[in-house]
Amino acid sequence: MDSHTAPERDMDTYLDAVHDVVFECCPKVLASDIGMSVKSLYRRVAEDDPMPMRLIDVVGIFWNVDREHQLRLIAPFLDHLGMVAVPRCEKGEVSRGDVFASVLDAQQGQGAMAALIQAAIADGEVDEEEAAQLEAQHKAIEQQMSTLMGQLQAMRKPLKVVSR
């Protein structure tokens, strides 16, 4: 994508995530939790219904599901922004072993990326499947590196100020 073209927005990507989460989290209970009738919730997540899902509905669903489903709801938005999210590491909760394991994960990710690149360019072209694999591996590497940097930040010592 060059700097003159806006990223394409595919609303189905966002709505598919909402639809999947709603039906995995018991729609009857979820409807009650967000103050909506079950019939209304079913209509909102239906693909062909003229009454679309509203942002306030998505936010209500987000706050009333578990963390795993929350991550699945925000994943399409992060993808749209070209971002990855990793859990924050709290100071004192990271060990040297955690960091070393993250370094190894990142190195394995880089190796997998190199293998994908080698296979993709072997014939002088990158097809759609290869491009998708490369993009997925790139995202995995970004996440691994962000995790590693978060761990290192959690191990950072505060700056000591020496007074005169």
Side-chain angles (χ1 to χ4, degrees), residues 92-162:
E93 292 182 7
V94 178
S95 70
R96 289 172 33 176
D98 295 333
V99 173
F100 185 67
S102 292
V103 168
L104 292 177
D105 288 344
Q107 287 177 336
Q108 287 175 336
Q110 292 287 347
M113 183 69 154
L116 286 172
I117 291 169
Q118 186 176 24
I121 64 172
D123 62 358
E125 294 181 345
V126 178
D127 64 30
E128 288 300 315
E129 183 180 336
E130 292 167 332
Q133 290 173 340
L134 289 166
E135 189 173 321
Q137 187 59 34
H138 180 260
K139 185 184 289 187
I141 290 169
E142 285 181 322
Q143 192 159 5
Q144 291 162 341
M145 293 305 297
S146 294
T147 299
L148 176 59
M149 289 308 299
Q151 290 171 334
L152 291 170
Q153 286 293 333
M155 292 180 77
R156 186 176 180 182
K157 286 184 179 180
L159 181 64
K160 290 185 180 181
V161 179
V162 180

Side-chain angles (χ1 to χ4, degrees), residues 68-90:
E68 175 189 339
H69 287 98
Q70 287 177 338
L71 293 173
R72 288 182 47 201
L73 285 172
I74 64 168
F77 294 98
L78 292 171
D79 284 342
H80 173 75
L81 295 171
M83 300 175 78
V84 295
V86 295
R88 184 178 303 134
C89 297
E90 296 297 323

Side-chain angles (χ1 to χ4, degrees), residues 11 14-19 21-22 30 34 36 41 44-45 52-65 69-70 72-74 76-77:
M11 292 307 293
Y14 307 104
L15 296 177
D16 286 347
V18 174
H19 181 273
V21 166
V22 165
L30 196 53
I34 62 175
M36 181 184 293
L41 180 60
R44 294 265 167 86
V45 296
M53 179 68 64
R54 299 173 306 174
L55 180 60
I56 190 136
D57 301 328
V58 175
V59 171
I61 292 167
F62 178 85
W63 288 120
N64 286 284
V65 295
H69 287 98
Q70 287 177 338
R72 288 182 47 201
L73 285 172
I74 64 168
F77 294 98

Side-chain angles (χ1 to χ4, degrees), residues 26-53:
C26 189
K28 292 178 182 179
V29 173
L30 196 53
S32 173
D33 289 346
I34 62 175
M36 181 184 293
S37 72
V38 177
K39 182 179 178 180
S40 197
L41 180 60
Y42 279 125
R43 282 185 34 228
R44 294 265 167 86
V45 296
E47 293 179 13
D48 57 348
D49 196 273
M51 181 69 154
M53 179 68 64

